Amino acid sequence: MTIPDPVSPSSSLAALEARLAQDLAYLGWPARNWMPARQAAGGETMIDVAIIGGGQAGLAASVALAQLGIRAVIFDRSPAGSEGPWATTARMETLRSPKELTGPALGLPALTFRAWFEAQFGLEAWTALDKIPRLQWMDYLVWYRRVMNVDVRNGMAVTAVQPLPDAAGVRLELRSGDGERSSVLARRLVLATGRDGLGGPAVPAFVNALPRSKWAHSSDEMDYGRLKGLRVGVIGAGSSAMDSAATALEAGAHSVELLIRRPDLPRVNKGKGAGVPGLTQGHYDLPDELKWRIRHYINVLNVPPPHGSTLRVSRHPNAFFNFGCPVLSVEPKGEGMVVSTPRGDFEFDFLIVSTGFKVDWPNRPEFAAIAPHVRTWKDRFTPAPGDEDQELADSPDLGPAFEFKERSPGECPGLARIHCFCYPAALSHGTVSGDIPAISDGAKRLASGIASLFYREDFDQHWAYLQEFAEPELFGDEWTPALPPQERNR
């Protein structure tokens, strides 16, 4: 995907930034900090909100909180410019979302991708643009972080999350890139940890027969140049499968065989059909059975791979689409392997499994202290026979501000101070916590919910402040008291 050359000097971007700064000033954004300072029992200062993850969800959450006068600090294990999947594990040429979607702009026209793009490349280039190039989206997010002055601490991996026993906050144990350890206290914690936010890749058991050097999950960071000349198998037919297959082909793979269990590819993206404002705003308030019905229906029908990604594969003569090919077994053979399916055996040198993600608490040791106590949907809801769905069953049951709930009340005080603003929130809240279309709606909901919780928690201090507030608007010299009517004419 070719990015156009700038058609105007950098002053155009500077002009956009000046316009954005003026808009923010008009709106009073960030708002005045109204939060009472808090310290832990030992005198340690507490951050108002800590956010794990500096991708688009974490950035949007931080900026939405700032609009309400709440300061947040983001911790991300990646170096600056590599947050999220865009510059690391994502392999699509372009985003699948329409370019017109405003994403994390939070209602600010000057903060949209379009404004940023046109300031550099012009309206003609915008009109000619089909979809947003993946790496250009990352460039936009880097700019977004800078102009919104988001506080991101890069190279900081969170190694443990522990709600305080008195339920007053959450402690984060951190490790820097050079191994230095530290900890911080936050009154509330937001998990903006992406698609695999509460787990990791869903890895099929059949790969256990192979050395780890012979297979990869599509979400793994890997140099696809190592696949040059190899016979590659790709399990799956979603967007990541197509992008992985295309990247392998473009790297010079001898051949790529896609093993697809379905008899055909899905043709319609039902999730797109559900993306109306009524559902975005109203999903949380739906009855449980309707929430389950919508999410299960989309899961069963599957999301098709993007049109462009599929063509990116099929244009190669050494790419093969094999339908009705669920994997029955995998056996090593020499330097490669044999993969058995109902349609015959395939010999590969390397296998890529594009099998999605799952909630998998043991895969996230940093959450060990809270994992046993998080209430999930399987703890509260039993679907109708035939509508069972493991992804949905494992999803956390979240409150109105995306907060976790305890499986057994009282066993993990402070758990509700942790907010799940990542993909596993979809069943409770709809797709507002990661995907581009409604990320601003989700960030605003999260921020307003946290503001409400803080105000309720600090009510006594706000009440005392209200009583002590003594800033006069009148000074007593603005008028002269009138004499009684009978005395005015004397």
Side-chain angles (χ1 to χ4, degrees):
M1 176 60 62
T2 302
I3 296 175
D5 294 327
V7 296
S8 55
S10 59
S11 59
S12 295
L13 189 59
L16 174 65
E17 293 176 10
R19 171 183 150 200
L20 174 62
Q22 185 67 74
D23 290 343
L24 294 173
Y26 286 154
L27 293 169
W29 192 338
R32 175 181 61 84
N33 185 2
W34 53 275
M35 296 284 295
R38 281 293 186 93
Q39 292 184 325
E44 185 176 356
T45 300
M46 301 180 75
I47 298 171
D48 289 338
V49 177
I51 300 174
I52 302 177
Q56 64 188 22
L59 294 176
S62 176
V63 173
L65 287 163
Q67 184 187 20
L68 300 183
I70 301 171
R71 305 299 183 253
V73 178
I74 295 177
F75 299 94
D76 195 289
R77 63 190 175 190
S78 301
S82 295
E83 302 89 350
W86 310 110
T88 53
T89 59
R91 297 180 178 90
M92 72 286 278
E93 291 183 318
T94 68
L95 307 189
R96 75 183 299 157
S97 300
K99 66 181 181 180
E100 295 82 6
L101 295 181
T102 57
L106 294 162
L108 294 166
L111 192 58
T112 60
F113 175 86
R114 178 174 180 173
W116 174 83
F117 183 93
E118 285 190 10
Q120 299 170 92
F121 309 110
L123 177 59
E124 186 176 343
W126 171 259
T127 303
L129 182 68
D130 177 29
K131 296 287 178 63
I132 298 171
R134 166 178 56 88
L135 292 178
Q136 197 169 51
W137 182 256
M138 184 72 243
D139 292 341
Y140 161 71
L141 293 176
V142 170
W143 175 80
Y144 180 108
R145 166 182 169 175
R146 176 175 64 80
V147 295
M148 297 307 289
N149 197 29
V150 183
D151 187 351
V152 183
R153 315 286 173 86
N154 287 99
M156 300 296 289
V158 177
T159 60
V161 168
Q162 178 66 65
L164 299 184
D166 58 4
V170 182
R171 180 172 292 281
L172 278 65
E173 300 293 340
L174 304 164
R175 184 181 64 243
S176 67
D178 59 10
E180 183 179 350
R181 295 185 178 273
S182 60
S183 70
V184 296
L185 280 175
R187 294 187 62 184
R188 291 191 173 270
L189 172 65
V190 173
L191 306 182
T193 43
R195 192 78 177 179
D196 60 342
L198 302 181
V203 178
F206 57 71
V207 300
N208 294 335
L210 300 175
R212 189 62 178 89
S213 60
K214 292 296 182 180
W215 69 273
H217 191 270
S218 55
S219 65
D220 290 343
E221 290 192 49
M222 186 180 81
D223 176 11
Y224 272 56
R226 63 185 283 205
L227 303 182
K228 183 176 181 179
L230 301 186
R231 301 164 299 170
V232 178
V234 176
I235 310 299
S239 57
S240 63
M242 290 299 166
D243 293 325
S244 295
T247 305
L249 290 161
E250 291 159 2
H254 174 273
S255 60
V256 171
E257 304 267 2
L258 288 102
L259 304 187
I260 305 164
R261 61 181 176 83
R262 289 174 173 266
D264 197 0
L265 292 179
R267 308 297 172 89
V268 178
N269 183 352
K270 293 290 187 176
K272 185 178 179 181
V276 298
L279 184 62
T280 298
Q281 305 302 330
H283 181 96
Y284 183 80
D285 296 320
L286 288 174
D288 290 352
E289 60 270 18
L290 299 188
K291 291 182 181 180
W292 190 280
R293 182 195 299 179
I294 289 172
R295 298 308 307 167
H296 179 62
Y297 178 72
I298 293 172
N299 281 355
V300 168
L301 293 185
N302 275 19
V303 176
H307 177 73
S309 294
T310 307
L311 290 177
R312 187 181 166 201
V313 176
S314 63
R315 67 175 175 236
H316 292 270
N318 54 337
F320 304 92
F321 291 72
N322 300 282
F323 295 99
C325 276
V327 174
L328 301 178
S329 66
V330 178
E331 298 292 338
K333 181 180 179 181
E335 293 298 311
M337 70 199 73
V338 175
V339 177
S340 297
T341 79
R343 294 190 56 195
D345 294 344
F346 295 82
E347 292 194 13
F348 300 130
D349 302 305
F350 195 85
L351 193 65
I352 299 173
V353 291
S354 299
T355 43
F357 301 94
K358 64 178 181 178
V359 173
D360 182 13
W361 293 103
N363 194 51
R364 304 298 288 263
E366 67 269 34
F367 300 140
I370 65 171
H373 307 292
V374 172
R375 178 176 162 129
T376 63
W377 270 74
K378 62 176 171 282
D379 298 319
R380 61 168 286 177
F381 181 77
T382 302
D387 288 344
E388 295 83 4
D389 190 315
Q390 194 62 51
E391 175 189 305
L392 302 184
D394 291 338
S395 297
D397 173 27
L398 301 176
F402 298 85
E403 69 273 27
F404 286 129
K405 299 178 182 178
E406 293 175 278
R407 178 176 285 128
S408 299
E411 285 193 353
C412 189
L415 180 64
R417 291 183 174 277
I418 304 176
H419 304 258
C420 178
F421 194 58
C422 51
Y423 180 77
L427 180 54
S428 290
H429 280 268
T431 51
V432 298
S433 56
D435 292 344
I436 290 171
I439 188 66
S440 285
D441 297 278
K444 290 177 181 179
R445 184 183 307 171
L446 172 74
S448 62
I450 288 177
S452 175
L453 292 167
F454 274 142
Y455 186 77
R456 187 187 319 167
E457 180 180 340
D458 296 336
F459 180 81
D460 288 344
Q461 288 172 273
H462 293 301
W463 170 243
Y465 174 79
L466 174 61
Q467 292 176 297
E468 294 166 3
F469 184 75
E471 179 183 307
E473 295 192 15
L474 293 175
F475 298 92
D477 57 0
E478 295 87 355
W479 68 92
T480 300
L483 294 172
Q486 61 272 23
E487 299 182 18
R488 291 179 188 174
N489 296 322
R490 292 181 183 177

